[in-house]
Amino acid sequence: MSTWSWISRTREKKALELYIEHVSKIVSIVEHALYATKAYREGNWEKFSEEWRKVFDEERQADELKRKILAELAEGVFHPIDREEVVRLAITSDDVASYAKAWCRRISFIKENELPIVLLDKLIEMANHVYEAIKIIMEASKDLLAGRRNHVLELANKVEFHEEKVDDLHVEALREVLTYCDSTKTSNCIIAKEIVDTVENAADKCEEVADVLRSIALLR
């Protein structure tokens, strides 16, 4: 291996180590978003507010970690393809955190005990799949760093499984939104649909991250 190639791989390893720290924070964000949704379902507005605050604060911390990764990529010696892949990995993963924050924010717009239980149960089930998917992504990232390429590919397939489950639940949740719209004001109806769509968007981004991890594993 040439000196240039060795330096490039060393810097890439450091960037991936920062990324694992980043995705670990995103796992925590999604977990708190899930807890917040459960708290709303239980009618515990105080707990919801506490978890929402954690989501808000940790999403800012995730942004800082993303900036560190991008700074490392800007300063280091990288093959252009390697740099592009890690940039996509960081930015797309950060989108998962942004969507988790967004669905909590939208829930906070609708007063306590307003959303129907049956819809909340669907949202919690969807959020659970997002949480499982992002945990798998963290595991796959560690395997990528350790050079376990085949396991990365297996885990990427598991992320797709969870995303497909969310797609199915999304349709069921939209049916509940339509029923809810018959008995509530227009603004609540719009926000309820946005909540459902935002949880699905988080799952879609998890699948995109899995695709990037798969691409990196296959190209190594």
Side-chain angles (χ1 to χ4, degrees), residues 8-9 11-20 22 65-66 68-74 77-94 141 144-145 209 212-213 215-216 219-220:
S8 176
R9 288 289 179 255
R11 298 306 294 263
E12 183 188 56
K13 180 181 178 182
K14 183 176 179 182
L16 285 174
E17 287 171 346
L18 283 171
Y19 172 71
I20 290 169
H22 180 228
L65 288 167
K66 179 188 68 178
K68 282 185 181 180
I69 295 168
L70 297 180
E72 178 68 24
L73 292 170
V77 178
F78 287 89
H79 188 284
I81 294 176
D82 296 340
R83 179 182 283 111
E84 180 181 354
E85 287 169 346
V86 181
V87 167
R88 282 180 61 207
L89 199 57
I91 291 176
T92 309
S93 299
D94 202 62
S141 303
L144 183 65
L145 185 61
V209 175
V212 178
L213 288 168
S215 175
I216 295 173
L219 290 171
R220 292 294 171 272

Side-chain angles (χ1 to χ4, degrees), residues 116-150:
I117 294 297
V118 65
L119 174 57
L120 287 165
D121 285 342
K122 294 297 180 186
L123 287 171
I124 289 168
E125 197 172 352
M126 291 170 71
N128 263 315
H129 281 293
V130 175
Y131 180 49
E132 291 302 319
I134 196 65
K135 286 195 297 182
I136 293 169
I137 285 168
M138 183 171 68
E139 183 182 351
S141 303
K142 292 177 180 178
D143 283 335
L144 183 65
L145 185 61
R148 294 188 286 268
R149 295 189 302 168
N150 289 338

Side-chain angles (χ1 to χ4, degrees), residues 200-211:
E200 188 206 19
N201 288 338
D204 288 343
K205 287 298 177 180
C206 285
E207 184 181 28
E208 287 185 36
V209 175
D211 287 341

Side-chain angles (χ1 to χ4, degrees), residues 22-45:
H22 180 228
V23 78
S24 176
K25 180 62 65 177
I26 295 171
V27 169
S28 180
I29 292 165
V30 174
E31 182 178 33
H32 287 303
L34 173 59
Y35 288 163
T37 309
K38 288 180 176 179
Y40 185 100
R41 193 247 186 247
E42 294 162 3
N44 190 338
W45 195 251

